[in-house]
């Protein structure tokens, strides 16, 4: 069932892309033979400060009519803010009509070293709230666009605040939007037991600030008899996560996007996840 056939409210969808995958997605959209891409309203483009879109790629992106969101890569919002990275991102997106920028909280680089999967989580306390909010305001001023912040893929907790409370406090202090990554939050619950697995029951004051909900795959395995969560976007999105998402949607503003952040997954897997979400929204 497509959204055009639905009589109930169906949210707008975004698709995640990198500089390497963007052209293929644009061409499939313009060709018109990909049912899912025909139902997509926005692209969430992961972009590093040194990357550049060619004029041809910019033209293809404009032809799609997609709204553009830029997911920044390796910017430390929870520590020292590298102004050179910000300047590079502003240059890279100069001719793009970016609706907002976004980035996961945490420490992603250490000096000239990219930490990758060894990134550090934000410290969950009031001092961190204040410092992170200051960085967010600086980013918005430099980029001249809103900045939304995302709950990171976190394997352990530092500080005395819960992640839900921390995210709400940062958004209020910085007056910014939030991105709620469902795989990250479920994984954080697996690792720490701090995040509720019943999101709809939470009287969370951050709901109204959520502008985007990320659907990303993850692995949950046993290692030495203990549960281990691994952030891995191409993994299948299983039914408990779909249920978690569908519980969450009534808490969000109608304008909040659902982003299929399944980079690396097959088109068939993305189509299946999209169809299950549409079915869930129509059946609710």
């Amino acid at each position: 069932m497509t959204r055009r056939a639905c009589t109930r409210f169906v949210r707008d969808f975004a698709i995640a892309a990198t500089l390497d995958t963007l052209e293929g997605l644009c061409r499939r959209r313009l060709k018109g033979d990909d049912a899912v891409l025909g139902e997509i309203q926005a692209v969430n483009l992961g972009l590093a400060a040194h990357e550049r879109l060619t004029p041809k790629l910019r033209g293809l992106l404009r032809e799609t009519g997609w709204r553009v969101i830029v997911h920044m890569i390796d910017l430390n919002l929870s520590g020292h803010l590298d102004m050179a990275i910000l300047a590079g991102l502003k240059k890279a997106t100069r001719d793009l009509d970016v609706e907002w920028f976004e980035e996961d909280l945490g420490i992603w680089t250490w000096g000239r070293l990219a930490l990758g999967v060894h990134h550090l989580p934000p410290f969950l306390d009031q001092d961190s709230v204040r410092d992170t909010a200051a960085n967010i305001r600086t980013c918005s001023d430099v980029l001249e666009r809103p900045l939304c912040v995302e709950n990171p893929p976190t394997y352990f907790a530092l500080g005395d605040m819960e992640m839900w409370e921390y995210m709400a406090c940062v958004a209020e202090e910085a007056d910014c939007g939030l991105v709620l990554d469902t795989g990250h939050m479920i994984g954080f619950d697996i690792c720490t037991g701090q995040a509720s697995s019943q999101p709809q029951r939470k009287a969370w004051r951050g709901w109204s600030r959520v502008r985007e909900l990320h659907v990303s795959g993850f692995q949950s395995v046993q290692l030495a008899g203990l549960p281990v969560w691994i952030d891995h976007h191409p993994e299948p999105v299983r039914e408990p996560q779909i249920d978690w998402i569908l519980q969450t949607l009534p808490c969000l503003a109608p304008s909040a996007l659902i982003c299929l952040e399944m980079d690396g997954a097959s088109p068939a897997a993305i189509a299946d996840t999209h169809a299950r979400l549409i079915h869930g929204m129509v059946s609710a």
Side-chain angles (χ1 to χ4, degrees):
M1 179 181 291
T2 68
R3 64 189 293 119
R4 297 183 185 89
C6 295
T7 58
R8 298 197 183 188
F9 174 67
V10 174
R11 292 176 180 274
D12 285 352
F13 278 81
I15 188 84
T18 66
L19 201 58
D20 292 334
T21 63
L22 181 60
E23 181 174 349
L25 289 170
C26 289
R27 292 194 182 280
R28 284 163 51 201
R29 159 80 168 207
L30 294 171
K31 192 176 180 181
D33 60 356
D34 188 307
V36 173
L37 293 182
E39 300 294 331
I40 294 295
Q41 288 74 41
V43 64
N44 184 307
L45 177 61
L47 199 65
H50 67 275
E51 294 182 311
R52 298 291 182 269
L53 278 70
T54 64
K56 181 178 76 171
L57 187 51
R58 290 173 184 267
L60 281 172
L61 183 54
R62 281 194 295 271
E63 282 187 64
T64 66
W66 282 334
R67 299 155 58 190
V68 178
I69 300 157
V70 170
H71 193 312
M72 303 182 291
I73 297 174
D74 287 345
L75 185 68
N76 292 338
L77 292 176
S78 302
H80 172 70
L81 187 63
D82 191 327
M83 300 304 292
I85 291 179
L86 270 184
L89 286 163
K90 185 171 185 178
K91 184 176 181 180
T93 57
R94 182 177 296 153
D95 299 324
L96 293 179
D97 186 16
V98 178
E99 196 160 331
W100 68 78
F101 289 84
E102 61 189 44
E103 174 61 301
D104 298 61
L105 296 178
I107 303 293
W108 295 91
T109 61
W110 196 270
R112 297 175 60 85
L113 179 67
L115 299 179
V117 296
H118 304 293
H119 64 275
L120 301 175
F123 206 91
L124 305 180
D125 68 4
Q126 287 295 339
D127 287 342
S128 175
V129 167
R130 183 189 64 247
D131 295 343
T132 301
N135 284 340
I136 293 166
R137 290 191 294 268
T138 297
C139 289
S140 294
D141 289 344
V142 171
L143 297 170
E144 301 180 274
R145 289 290 188 277
L147 175 65
C148 298
V149 294
E150 179 178 345
N151 58 297
T154 301
Y155 299 88
F156 59 94
L158 295 172
D160 56 7
M161 298 176 71
E162 288 193 352
M163 181 64 76
W164 290 95
E165 176 67 10
Y166 179 80
M167 296 295 293
C169 287
V170 167
E172 290 170 352
E173 182 77 16
D175 192 20
C176 70
L178 292 171
V179 177
L180 182 59
D181 189 297
T182 61
H184 294 177
M185 194 60 87
I186 293 170
F188 186 70
D189 187 25
I190 292 171
C191 294
T192 69
Q194 284 194 19
S196 170
S197 58
Q198 300 290 333
Q200 194 172 6
R201 298 180 185 177
K202 289 190 71 67
W204 185 48
R205 65 184 190 276
W207 290 124
S208 63
R209 290 184 177 270
V210 176
R211 299 193 66 177
E212 191 178 1
L213 190 76
H214 282 188
V215 182
S216 59
F218 61 90
Q219 293 177 331
S220 181
V221 299
Q222 292 283 320
L223 185 62
L226 297 173
V228 176
W229 170 78
I230 302 171
D231 183 38
H232 191 232
H233 291 186
E235 288 295 312
V237 177
R238 296 175 175 83
E239 283 307 311
Q241 186 175 358
I242 294 289
D243 292 342
W244 197 102
I245 293 165
L246 294 174
Q247 289 180 42
T248 301
L249 292 181
C251 305
L252 307 182
S255 58
L257 285 169
I258 300 175
C259 178
L260 300 169
E261 196 184 28
M262 302 171 63
D263 34 305
S266 68
I270 294 172
D272 175 70
T273 299
H274 178 262
R276 284 185 288 152
L277 288 170
I278 292 285
H279 176 76
M281 283 184 272
V282 173
S283 302

